[in-house]
Amino acid sequence: MATVLIYRRFPRLSRVTPFSTTAKYKAKSGNSKSEQKKEDNPETANTRTESVATIQLLNPLDYRVLYNPSAYAKTRGASQQHAARSSGQALGDTFTSPDTSQLQHTFSTASSRALPPLRNAPPKPESKPLLKQTTSARLSVAQTKEEAEKEKREMHDSKEDPRMFQKGRPEYRSLSYDRFEPVETLPLEEGDSILCSVAVCKGSQSPGTIADYFRKLSRLPVEHHTALVSNPRFNTLCHCAVRNLGSFSTSDLIDILQACVRLVLPPTHPLLNACENEFCQRVWDMNLDQVLLVADCWRCLERSVPSYLSILFSYANMNWKDLTLARFVQLVYIIGEGRRSPKDLTQKIESMILKYLDSFTLEEVGAVCLGLFKSLSGISDHVMRKIADRVSLQMEDMSTYALVNVLKILRYTRMDHLPLLKELGKVIPARIPATNIQGIMHITLTCSSLHYFDEGIMAAVAMSLPSRVTYCRSKDAAKFLWSFGCLDYEPPNEEEFYSSLIEQMYRKFHEFGKFPEHLLTGLLGLAFVKRFPEELIDYALRDEFVRKTRGSKYELRKDLFTLSKSVEIECPSYQGSRLPPQLSQEITEMVLNFAEQEIYVRHEIVEATSLLESMLGGPEYVKNHMILPHTRSSDLEVHLAMDGHPIPFNFKDPVADKKLKDIGVSLTDDLLTQLIKGRSSSHSPVEVENEARPRSQERGDEARTPHVGDHAALSGGTLITDARLQVEPKLGRSLETPPSLTLNHQPRGVKLALQVSNRNHYCYCSKRLLGLHRLKRRQLQQLGYVVVELPFWEWFPLLKRTRLEKLSYLHYKVFDPALLSRAG
């Protein structure tokens, strides 16, 4: 029996550290991997007679393959096709498919050969025994059924799925349109008769007759609806209805609207325009059930009706006491689907949630949470905690769809509800294989957004994803990469997991023009875990893409900056596009301005800086700044000679200059002797500094020894040195590349980067660093720094203790002998 070898290629991928080979992918060079592919069908794996994928580290090759996004287009379901052809909106919720007619992109790849999918392989010769043919046929049928089930599971009906709660109570029948309600089919002959009558009478029928015609025609077999809507005689009937719109009773008008829903009229149909205007005028004469039913019909028609919704919210506000449980849930559903949050109803909505919370079904709890999330409605921590309390107790009985909706609003409110999160870790892993990709993405994103790491959840996601990755949108793939990178988790199947997602990013390349944030999200997630796909990075740093980011509703400049500088540090062999220097400088200025206002002034950082200055001998021995501005957090930089002496270096800091001017010093004989002996009048301060460094910091040695400094620090006294009194000309702040990133000629020693961390640098309730801060420490080490942690669980409690205790702690951290051994 012949053996079929599966061959897959991966985009060129830089990996900072070597990784081990796996059974499925073998590394040739051990440092990184390369993959380029062009597929005719992304849903299947390619086959080839090679069995080894060669993995290379940023080694561009000179062949080209035309990247054709249309080859990756996914077949859509009927409801999606209808949504695509409709030019209207779903109560303000719009989606426009990207124009791929002109989308072509050329990549450097390892092969220009497109391989056919395995499942479409040509049949074997007919010389097989009949039994083998029969077995093969049955196996094919079984595989087809399995694929159909998989396809069905992955499909998400954004119009019907949120309406599942309506099946839980009979009260919703009068508040919503049920397209699954059985109706008696109208014979085709009777339909033709009605259309003939319309053509003959030409609008002379009564309003009641016209309404009855709509009711009957909407009961024609579904397969004839499209032909009916395009029939000229049906258009005549619609014109008749528009002319008589004011004469219809409210119930007849609602029946006509429901008939339009059943016939799937386009959202911009003239009849619907007229109906919307009429209903806006009639709202105050309708009852609450009718008002909510009409809003539900507009949602089913995917028509945006902002004017009607505004009136509906005012009507509901005026009749709030009439809101039963079902009416309230339906109202919140309409608010969510309309993507509108009426501010004057916020407090009332919260009160109603608390009133009915124990009476809601679990599906209704999910529906309320989804409505709040879609409308971006603010919700108090108290109400969110009450919802989370109930969900954590009944999670086992909750559908995954409803649970995901709760997680969405939990993520939006950033609620750290530990009982719910722990229960999630017990319930969700077993459900992952049966959950569709979008649901899994929201579960994963909730964990990363709340900085909550549960290995059971993340491992289950990682194991399930590779075989289903082709169902990922660009958004899904990016969020998966971000979530795993944010939590700094590399699963057991990391190579398969990451390579499959990077493949999907290439497949969805054509979407990044419209959604640039997805590309940057994915690339940053990869950078956190030391993975750098070259071609995607090259595209993201091109001027063309940078211009596209300016049109995004998100602030993406800082993400571009983080990506660009990370590549500069971690991928020295990278030869692709880079961020323009002027833009880098602008972003650096923006980041540093923010740091001066929000970061450097934090109490825990100011206190550590002040104490270190006192302990080491002055502000020139400590610098509170961002060594790596692209990592968006501060460092306390300290330099030590190999013998343990602190080295002054912070002479150009205007803040230090100001502090020195404000220090009162008594001029004593000893001090005068120090000043005279410690300075040559023929040298400038800068020259003296440069001379002092090669001589093992003679000024520092002259002024103090480690024992003297230690004593001075622990006693709380001050120690005067000539270096401390050296005053440089006051300079403006430089926005150039930080000195740490340029070649310097300091003496052999150790540069410390003290990290005054806080809870937001770590996973929730753990000492596990988040991806961005892991990346920062890794890059500091690559630049020659020794990272010293002042973890919040140690430093924050000390802030309430005595000065001597804090100095003792800092002395222990800075003068740890192990630090000098790491400097070599």
Side-chain angles (χ1 to χ4, degrees):
M1 180 175 179
T3 301
V4 178
L5 298 177
I6 307 299
Y7 180 84
R8 305 182 74 177
R9 292 193 177 274
F10 306 99
R12 272 206 307 284
L13 182 73
S14 168
R15 189 74 199 276
V16 175
T17 56
F19 54 87
S20 61
T21 59
T22 64
K24 190 167 185 180
Y25 310 106
K26 298 182 180 179
K28 183 175 181 179
S29 62
N31 266 63
S32 60
K33 47 179 155 154
S34 104
E35 165 200 20
Q36 285 301 333
K37 62 193 280 187
K38 174 187 175 186
E39 299 183 49
D40 292 325
N41 185 349
E43 305 296 330
T44 61
N46 289 342
T47 61
R48 194 164 177 174
T49 57
E50 300 177 48
S51 61
V52 177
T54 302
I55 299 173
Q56 300 178 345
L57 172 60
L58 290 175
N59 185 21
L61 302 177
D62 296 325
Y63 35 76
R64 296 155 66 87
V65 168
L66 188 63
Y67 181 87
N68 181 10
S70 64
Y72 300 117
K74 179 180 175 183
T75 304
R76 297 175 295 179
S79 62
Q80 291 173 304
Q81 291 174 350
H82 165 65
R85 74 169 180 266
S86 299
S87 58
Q89 305 169 336
L91 294 181
D93 179 19
T94 64
F95 177 80
T96 305
S97 300
D99 180 10
T100 60
S101 61
Q102 298 179 350
L103 284 171
Q104 290 183 338
H105 189 74
T106 302
F107 283 129
S108 297
T109 66
S111 171
S112 62
R113 180 178 176 184
L115 302 174
L118 179 61
R119 67 184 180 192
N120 291 336
K124 298 293 183 181
E126 297 188 2
S127 58
K128 279 186 174 183
L130 181 60
L131 178 60
K132 286 189 176 182
Q133 291 183 6
T134 304
T135 303
S136 177
R138 289 178 178 174
L139 182 59
S140 177
V141 171
Q143 288 176 340
T144 302
K145 288 183 178 179
E146 182 181 350
E147 290 172 1
E149 286 297 320
K150 185 177 180 180
E151 187 83 21
K152 181 179 179 181
R153 179 185 63 206
E154 295 296 343
M155 295 304 296
H156 169 61
D157 191 334
S158 61
K159 191 164 71 172
E160 286 301 323
D161 288 350
R163 303 167 63 85
M164 295 301 295
F165 72 93
Q166 295 171 348
K167 301 182 184 299
R169 296 180 190 272
E171 294 95 319
Y172 289 112
R173 293 174 185 169
S174 62
L175 307 173
S176 60
Y177 173 82
D178 184 3
R179 72 184 183 94
F180 298 106
E181 182 180 5
V183 294
E184 183 180 353
T185 303
L186 185 75
L188 293 178
E189 296 78 9
E190 189 171 345
D192 288 337
S193 175
I194 291 173
L195 292 176
C196 289
S197 177
V198 170
V200 171
C201 297
K202 295 183 179 180
S204 61
Q205 298 93 336
S206 67
T209 302
I210 294 174
D212 191 53
Y213 284 171
F214 273 98
R215 281 189 286 262
K216 290 181 176 179
L217 290 174
S218 68
R219 293 192 285 110
L220 284 170
V222 174
E223 60 270 20
H224 293 277
H225 285 180
T226 302
L228 172 66
V229 172
S230 60
N231 191 307
R233 292 176 293 180
F234 179 76
N235 288 332
T236 301
L237 179 63
C238 291
H239 288 304
C240 293
V242 171
R243 286 197 300 270
N244 291 277
L245 217 53
S247 303
F248 290 113
S249 67
T250 298
S251 59
D252 281 346
L253 194 59
I254 292 175
D255 284 348
I256 292 175
L257 185 62
Q258 288 183 302
C260 293
V261 175
R262 194 173 291 113
L263 292 171
V264 198
L265 257 65
T268 55
H269 196 283
L271 175 58
L272 298 182
N273 297 337
C275 284
E276 181 186 349
N277 293 332
E278 185 66 23
F279 277 119
C280 285
Q281 296 175 21
R282 293 195 188 195
V283 166
W284 297 102
D285 298 323
M286 297 160 60
N287 62 48
L288 189 53
D289 286 8
Q290 290 175 325
V291 174
L292 291 171
L293 174 59
V294 169
D296 196 69
C297 289
W298 292 132
R299 172 59 187 131
C300 294
L301 286 163
E302 300 184 4
R303 179 181 171 90
S304 178
V305 287
S307 298
Y308 182 84
L309 290 183
S310 295
I311 301 172
L312 164 61
F313 298 151
S314 298
Y315 184 99
N317 198 10
M318 294 285 291
N319 297 273
W320 198 259
K321 65 181 186 303
D322 297 329
L323 282 180
T324 60
L325 184 152
R327 287 170 175 169
F328 171 71
V329 176
Q330 181 69 14
L331 174 64
V332 176
Y333 162 76
I334 293 297
I335 290 173
E337 296 305 303
R339 295 338 194 243
R340 299 189 59 193
S341 176
K343 295 181 179 180
D344 54 340
L345 295 183
T346 300
Q347 190 59 48
K348 290 185 174 182
I349 289 174
E350 288 199 1
S351 298
M352 198 68 83
I353 291 174
L354 294 176
K355 176 182 177 180
Y356 289 128
L357 183 57
D358 292 334
S359 302
F360 287 148
T361 65
L362 292 173
E363 290 300 318
E364 287 171 332
V365 171
V368 169
C369 289
L370 182 61
L372 296 174
F373 174 76
K374 284 186 174 181
S375 62
L376 300 180
S377 299
I379 181 173
S380 67
D381 286 352
H382 173 67
V383 175
M384 187 67 250
R385 196 165 294 280
K386 287 290 186 182
I387 294 173
D389 286 342
R390 183 179 174 194
V391 171
S392 64
L393 295 175
Q394 296 181 282
M395 192 179 294
E396 283 277 9
D397 301 323
M398 200 170 198
S399 72
T400 302
Y401 181 78
L403 177 56
V404 166
N405 291 336
V406 175
L407 296 180
K408 288 178 181 178
I409 191 65
L410 193 75
R411 182 178 85 225
Y412 177 71
T413 57
R414 303 197 67 81
M415 171 65 66
D416 53 345
H417 194 281
L418 193 56
L420 185 147
L421 294 173
K422 286 184 175 180
E423 189 66 17
L424 191 70
K426 298 175 184 177
V427 172
I428 279 297
R431 294 191 186 184
I432 291 296
T435 304
N436 67 17
I437 283 293
Q438 290 186 38
I440 297 174
M441 181 274 288
H442 282 294
I443 293 167
T444 311
L445 186 59
T446 297
C447 290
S448 64
S449 297
L450 299 180
H451 297 171
Y452 182 73
F453 176 71
D454 184 293
E455 188 167 9
I457 295 175
M458 303 303 288
V461 171
M463 296 304 295
S464 176
L465 193 63
S467 63
R468 305 157 61 184
V469 74
T470 51
Y471 293 100
C472 288
R473 304 165 296 175
S474 61
K475 175 181 179 179
D476 300 324
K479 297 298 186 184
F480 280 125
L481 290 171
W482 168 264
S483 297
F484 276 73
C486 176
L487 297 176
D488 192 38
Y489 178 62
E490 294 195 332
N493 63 332
E494 59 175 299
E495 297 308 328
E496 181 187 24
F497 173 78
Y498 280 110
S499 61
S500 67
L501 281 171
I502 293 171
E503 282 185 63
Q504 188 66 2
M505 293 284 280
Y506 275 88
R507 291 191 191 100
K508 297 297 181 180
F509 180 85
H510 58 282
E511 296 182 12
F512 296 139
K514 183 175 182 180
F515 305 107
E517 62 273 12
H518 297 337
L519 177 58
L520 292 178
T521 296
L523 290 178
L524 283 179
L526 286 167
F528 293 161
V529 292
K530 301 180 287 188
R531 294 172 185 268
F532 298 91
E534 182 188 0
E535 279 118 350
L536 290 179
I537 292 171
D538 176 64
Y539 176 73
L541 297 180
R542 290 180 190 174
D543 292 341
E544 176 189 1
F545 184 82
V546 172
R547 286 194 296 269
K548 289 178 180 178
T549 63
R550 294 170 184 160
S552 172
K553 62 181 179 181
Y554 303 100
E555 172 54 72
L556 300 178
R557 289 182 298 169
K558 289 189 291 186
D559 291 343
L560 283 167
F561 186 47
T562 300
L563 177 65
S564 178
K565 289 299 181 181
S566 295
V567 171
E568 181 180 320
I569 295 171
E570 301 203 50
C571 302
S573 64
Y574 173 73
Q575 299 295 321
S577 304
R578 296 186 184 275
L579 213 57
Q582 182 179 357
L583 181 58
S584 292
Q585 185 171 335
E586 290 175 3
I587 302 171
T588 300
E589 182 176 6
M590 176 179 66
V591 171
L592 293 180
N593 285 336
F594 174 80
E596 287 185 349
Q597 299 172 19
E598 301 291 337
I599 299 178
Y600 299 157
V601 296
R602 290 175 182 168
H603 174 58
E604 65 272 15
I605 295 177
V606 171
E607 183 75 358
T609 305
S610 175
L611 289 168
L612 285 169
E613 289 175 357
S614 176
M615 182 178 79
L616 299 176
E620 63 270 30
Y621 291 91
V622 185
K623 188 170 185 179
N624 176 12
H625 69 135
M626 288 183 174
I627 298 174
L628 302 175
H630 65 278
T631 60
R632 311 172 200 178
S633 58
S634 68
D635 310 86
L636 299 180
E637 185 172 355
V638 172
H639 294 186
L640 298 178
M642 288 306 294
D643 59 3
H645 283 94
I647 301 173
F649 68 98
N650 185 26
F651 298 108
K652 297 183 180 181
D653 189 344
V655 176
D657 292 343
K658 184 177 184 301
K659 288 184 178 178
L660 286 171
K661 289 183 179 180
D662 294 338
I663 293 175
V665 180
S666 299
L667 189 61
T668 64
D669 290 339
D670 290 340
L671 176 57
L672 191 57
T673 301
Q674 270 190 321
L675 293 173
I676 293 173
K677 291 183 178 180
R679 183 80 73 243
S680 171
S681 60
S682 62
H683 290 78
S684 70
V686 175
E687 290 171 332
V688 171
E689 175 191 349
N690 291 335
E691 288 180 5
R693 286 178 176 171
R695 296 198 302 266
S696 300
Q697 303 298 323
E698 289 175 359
R699 289 176 299 154
D701 294 346
E702 181 182 324
R704 55 190 283 245
T705 66
H707 293 291
V708 174
D710 187 17
H711 174 76
L714 296 180
S715 64
T718 58
L719 182 65
I720 304 299
T721 69
D722 62 334
R724 184 177 167 193
L725 293 173
Q726 179 178 327
V727 179
E728 292 290 316
K730 193 167 184 178
L731 301 175
R733 188 187 65 200
S734 172
L735 297 178
E736 298 174 0
T737 302
S740 308
L741 300 182
T742 61
L743 183 64
N744 59 58
H745 301 282
Q746 294 191 11
R748 184 175 178 81
V750 56
K751 297 183 294 183
L752 305 184
L754 279 74
Q755 307 298 302
V756 185
S757 63
N758 59 57
R759 286 177 175 82
N760 289 332
H761 296 179
Y762 294 85
C763 292
Y764 180 62
C765 289
S766 82
K767 298 178 181 179
R768 182 188 187 92
L769 268 175
L770 294 172
L772 176 62
H773 301 284
R774 183 71 69 190
L775 170 143
K776 176 186 177 180
R777 284 150 178 75
R778 185 174 72 237
Q779 293 179 1
L780 285 171
Q781 290 169 352
Q782 287 182 262
L783 294 172
Y785 285 88
V786 173
V787 177
V788 178
E789 295 281 353
L790 303 184
F792 71 88
W793 58 86
E794 293 177 358
W795 182 238
F796 279 45
L798 275 173
L799 294 176
K800 301 177 182 178
R801 307 299 290 270
T802 66
R803 175 181 175 84
L804 185 59
E805 288 175 291
K806 288 181 280 192
L807 284 169
S808 178
Y809 174 80
L810 292 174
H811 186 276
Y812 163 76
K813 286 288 187 179
V814 171
F815 293 107
D816 182 357
L819 298 180
L820 296 177
S821 66
R822 281 191 260 167

